[in-house]
Amino acid sequence: MDFISILSIFVLACFVGYYVVWSVTPALHTPLMSVTNAISSVIVVGALIAAAAAGVPGSKWLGLVAVALASVNIFGGFAVTQRMLSMYKKRERPGDKTHG
Amino acid sequence: MAEAVVAQPAWVLLAYLIAGVCFILALRGLSNPESSRRGNRTGMIGMAIAVATTLALHHSAALAEIAGAIVIGGAIGLVIARKIQMTAMPQLVAAFHSLVGLAAVLVGAAAYLNPEAFGIAVRVTPIASPSFVSIFPQSRIEMGLGVAIGAITFSGSVIAFLKLNGNMSGKPILLPLRHVINLGTLAAILALISYFTQDQAPLVFGLIVGLSFIIGFLLIIPIGGADMPVVISMLNSYSGWAAAAMGFTLHNTAMVITGALVGSSGAILSYIMCRAMNRSFISVIAGGFGAVASGGEAAAIDRPYKRGSAEDAAFLMAQAEQVIIVPGYGMAVAQAQHAVREMADLLKAKGVTVKYAIHPVAGRMPGHMNVLLAEANVPYDEVFELEDINSEFAQTDVAYVIGANDVTNPAAKNDKSSPIYGMPVLDVEKARTVLFVKRSMGGVGYAGIDNDLFYRDNTMMLLGDAKKMTEEIVKALG
C-alpha cells in the first residue's frame, strides 16, 4: 500500500473518530478511555510480526516483550471496561427491588 | 532507490479493515449505556481478528513463545482488571497508557533491528563493499516519529501514574528555564529524526528514544494535580498517535485507523476537560497551576457561618420536594458513595425526587464520578451533567454538596480576581437550602481558594467526615 492510500485512510479515520467520540455520552467517558486504551494495543500486530520473524534474535525478543505488554493492555483494558459498563443500571421499576 | 511497496494479500487488508470497523463500532456503542456492552464485545472481536490475521500471515516457528507471551500478559491484565478499585481508575489508565507507549518503542526498535521482516528496507550491495540493509528514508521518518511519540507517552504516563497514585507529590515541580529546555529538547528530537534519514546509525536511533523519554518526563513534572484530568486525556491521545505512526511505518491499516480514533478521542477529552476548568490547553501544558496556595485563608476563617447537625439535614431533606446531590472526589476518598445512595433511597421512599449533578471535573479523570456512582448502584438516569441540570437548582429545595468545593464556588461567576473566574460551576447557591458537607472550616479546595458559598444565608455547613455525616443522616431519616 502506498503512502497516499494510508494517509487517506488516516485522515478519514480522524474525522470518523471526531464525530463518533463527540456522540459518546459524558457519563461513559471513563470507559471510553479504558476501551481506547485496549484498542490502541492493536500495536500488538507489529509486535507479533517482530516476534514471528526469524533471523534477528534481538528483534524477536523485543517483539515478544512487546506482545506481553500489549496483552496486559488488551485483556486488562477490555475486561475493566466490561466491568465498569456492567455497573451502569437504569432506575429500578417499583416492585422488582433486587439490590446487588 | 525505488520505494518498494509492501505487498499484503487482499484478504489480509480486508481483515484489518474489518478490525478497524469493529473498533469504530466499539466507540459508537458508548453513546448509550445500553449499547455500550455490545460495543465492547465488538471491540474484542476486532482485536481477535487483527491478532489472528497477523499470526496466519506470518507462519512462525515461534508460535509457542508468542502464545506464552500472550498468556502471561493476558493473565496479568485480567487480574488487574478484576482487582482494581474504581477510585484508582485514573492510575490504572495512566499505567495502561505507559504500556502502549513502551510497546510502541519496542516494536519500533524491533523494526529497526530487523527491517526486512517488516518489508521496509532494501538490501544494497555497493561495488567493492559488503552488502547492508537500508531502511527506506520515508520509513525512517515514520519510525522515528513513532518511537518518539511512544517514548513520550511512556515516560509521561509513568510520571502521571506516580502523581495520581500518590508516590509523587501532586505539586508541580518547576525547573528553572523549563520552557527553554523543553523546546530545545523537542527541536533536537525533530532534528535527529531528519538526520536519521541520512544516517541509520544505532546512535541516532538511540538518541531519538533517549531524548523522547526525557522530554516526556520533563513535560509532565511541572503539571499540578488539579490539571491531571487534562494530562491523562492528553496521554490517551498520544498513545493513539503513537499507534498510528507505527501503523504508517508498518503499512498496517488496522493500526492507522485505531490510532486515529484513539488520538482524536484523547484530544476531544482534553478539550472537554480544559473547557470545564476554563483553562487553555497551552497553559495546562506550560504547567505550574496550583503551585502557589493562596495566603488569604486566615482572614476568611472568622467570617460567620451557619452550622447544622445531621438531624437538621435529615429534617430539611425529608420535607423537600426535590434534592440534588452534588458529589465531588472527596466523597469517593471518604468512601461515602454507598451511604449517599442509601440516603437517596430513603428520601425516594418518602416521595422526594433525588437527582445527582456532576461537574465534568468532579473526579480525577473524565467521567470518573459517573463510574463511582454507578458502582454504588446509583441508576445512571438519575445522574445529570452540568449543562443539563444547572437550570434546575432554582426550583430545588435542597442541594447536598458532598466532597465537592471549587466546582460550586460562586466566585467563578462574580469575582474577576479569583483564579477560577470563568470556570463553569454548578449553581448550587440558587437552591433554597445548601447543605455543605466539609471536614472542617479550615481547609480550602483543591485549587486553594476560599468558597464564598460557606457564608451565605441559605447555606448550612455540616462539619464532619463525609461518610459518617451521611450515615448519621441515614439514621435520622430511618
Side-chain angles (χ1 to χ4, degrees):
Chain A
M1 228 191 241
D2 60 301
F3 177 73
I4 293 299
S5 312
I6 297 186
L7 185 68
S8 314
I9 293 172
F10 175 72
V11 171
L12 291 177
C14 283
F15 277 93
V16 171
Y18 180 84
Y19 288 106
V20 167
V21 171
W22 272 118
S23 76
V24 172
T25 168
L28 293 177
H29 275 164
T30 295
L32 171 68
M33 287 192 100
S34 61
V35 82
T36 50
N37 222 313
I39 66 172
S40 61
S41 303
V42 72
I43 202 152
V44 73
V45 165
L48 287 171
I49 298 173
V56 184
S59 173
K60 183 185 159 178
W61 281 106
L62 288 175
L64 281 174
V65 174
V67 168
L69 293 180
S71 301
V72 173
N73 237 325
I74 293 170
F75 285 84
F78 280 122
V80 85
T81 308
Q82 197 69 17
R83 191 178 141 205
M84 278 191 274
L85 293 177
S86 66
M87 293 172 182
Y88 284 80
K89 291 185 193 82
K90 257 202 155 116
R91 204 179 318 210
E92 294 158 356
R93 313 214 174 275
D96 54 60
K97 275 212 175 273
T98 40
H99 277 295
Chain B
M1 178 175 25
E3 285 282 308
V5 166
V6 192
Q8 293 184 67
W11 68 270
V12 172
L13 295 176
L14 270 178
Y16 284 146
L17 179 64
I18 293 170
V21 170
C22 285
F23 295 147
I24 294 172
L25 291 174
L27 300 194
R28 185 74 188 93
L30 290 169
S31 57
N32 181 307
E34 297 309 307
S35 59
S36 63
R37 291 173 271 262
R38 198 177 55 235
N40 196 41
R41 281 193 289 274
T42 314
M44 295 182 201
I45 293 169
M47 188 61 76
I49 293 173
V51 170
T53 307
T54 312
L55 285 177
L57 184 65
H58 300 265
H59 307 283
S60 170
L63 210 58
E65 283 140 296
I66 292 172
I70 294 178
V71 168
I72 294 170
I76 296 172
L78 287 177
V79 170
I80 296 172
R82 185 164 305 190
K83 292 249 168 90
I84 192 79
Q85 298 227 322
M86 286 301 139
T87 41
M89 273 313 290
Q91 292 95 298
L92 180 72
V93 168
F96 278 172
H97 287 155
S98 75
L99 295 184
V100 178
L102 190 55
V105 174
L106 294 179
V107 171
Y112 173 76
L113 291 175
N114 192 4
E116 281 175 306
F118 292 85
I120 55 168
V122 68
R123 188 165 282 278
V124 189
T125 319
I127 307 155
S129 50
S131 72
F132 65 97
V133 175
S134 172
I135 305 170
F136 301 137
Q138 183 194 320
S139 301
R140 294 187 202 177
I141 296 179
E142 293 161 348
M143 185 188 282
L145 282 175
V147 293
I149 304 172
I152 293 173
T153 311
F154 171 72
S155 54
S157 301
V158 168
I159 301 299
F161 172 84
L162 293 175
K163 286 195 172 195
L164 288 162
N165 205 33
N167 304 102
M168 196 173 152
S169 160
K171 283 226 173 84
I173 298 167
L174 302 173
L175 299 176
L177 287 177
R178 63 181 197 282
H179 297 310
V180 179
I181 298 173
N182 289 356
L183 290 174
T185 316
L186 280 176
I189 292 169
L190 290 176
L192 278 167
I193 291 174
S194 69
Y195 181 68
F196 191 47
T197 59
Q198 304 302 316
D199 180 2
Q200 59 172 16
L203 178 69
V204 183
F205 185 83
L207 275 176
I208 294 173
V209 175
L211 281 181
S212 303
F213 277 135
I214 293 172
I215 190 71
F217 172 78
L218 290 176
L219 280 175
I220 307 301
I221 53 168
I223 303 181
D227 283 338
M228 274 300 147
V230 181
V231 170
I232 189 166
S233 316
M234 189 177 85
L235 291 166
N236 187 233
S237 185
Y238 288 179
S239 70
W241 303 130
M246 290 320 294
F248 272 99
T249 318
L250 311 181
H251 302 259
N252 185 295
T253 43
M255 276 160 78
V256 169
I257 295 175
T258 315
L261 291 177
V262 178
S264 343
S265 168
I268 291 174
L269 291 175
S270 313
Y271 168 76
I272 293 175
M273 289 297 108
C274 281
R275 193 181 54 183
M277 295 192 291
N278 190 37
R279 310 254 291 117
S280 78
F281 192 65
I282 298 294
S283 74
V284 172
I285 301 289
F289 190 66
V292 274
S294 83
E297 357 172 341
I301 285 168
D302 327 320
R303 289 172 68 182
Y305 63 92
K306 260 191 274 182
R307 185 177 174 171
S309 68
E311 286 73 24
D312 302 332
F315 178 78
L316 276 166
M317 284 196 276
Q319 302 298 313
E321 236 168 76
Q322 172 157 296
V323 172
I324 297 181
I325 298 172
V326 182
Y329 190 67
M331 178 194 74
V333 172
Q335 290 291 321
Q337 56 269 47
H338 290 274
V340 167
R341 203 256 307 139
E342 245 180 276
M343 181 183 88
D345 283 349
L346 286 171
L347 288 172
K348 280 191 274 178
K350 289 180 194 292
V352 182
T353 309
V354 180
K355 290 177 179 172
Y356 296 80
I358 309 260
H359 192 278
V361 291
R364 281 286 175 275
M365 68 187 285
H368 193 198
M369 190 51 64
N370 302 76
V371 174
L372 294 169
L373 289 176
E375 191 192 18
N377 283 321
V378 172
Y380 64 81
D381 42 359
E382 289 177 6
V383 181
F384 296 87
E385 303 300 318
L386 176 124
E387 57 265 43
D388 298 327
I389 201 165
N390 233 1
S391 58
E392 280 198 39
F393 281 105
Q395 291 97 50
T396 297
D397 304 288
V398 179
Y400 186 74
V401 184
I402 175 165
N405 188 348
D406 297 329
V407 297
T408 64
N409 196 336
K413 287 177 285 192
N414 50 31
D415 178 5
K416 285 199 170 139
S417 67
S418 171
I420 60 166
Y421 181 72
M423 169 172 139
V425 288
L426 290 156
D427 296 333
V428 290
E429 76 279 0
K430 291 195 179 147
R432 192 163 304 148
T433 310
V434 179
L435 297 174
F436 203 109
V437 185
K438 199 170 182 304
R439 188 173 290 278
S440 70
M441 286 308 285
V444 287
Y446 212 56
I449 308 152
D450 194 30
N451 193 341
D452 183 49
L453 190 63
F454 306 156
Y455 316 106
R456 299 239 171 163
D457 286 340
N458 62 336
T459 302
M460 184 188 272
M461 298 301 294
L462 302 172
L463 298 183
D465 175 73
K467 187 180 181 188
K468 266 195 208 128
M469 181 57 70
T470 311
E471 280 170 348
E472 279 169 37
I473 296 173
V474 168
K475 223 178 284 167
L477 280 171

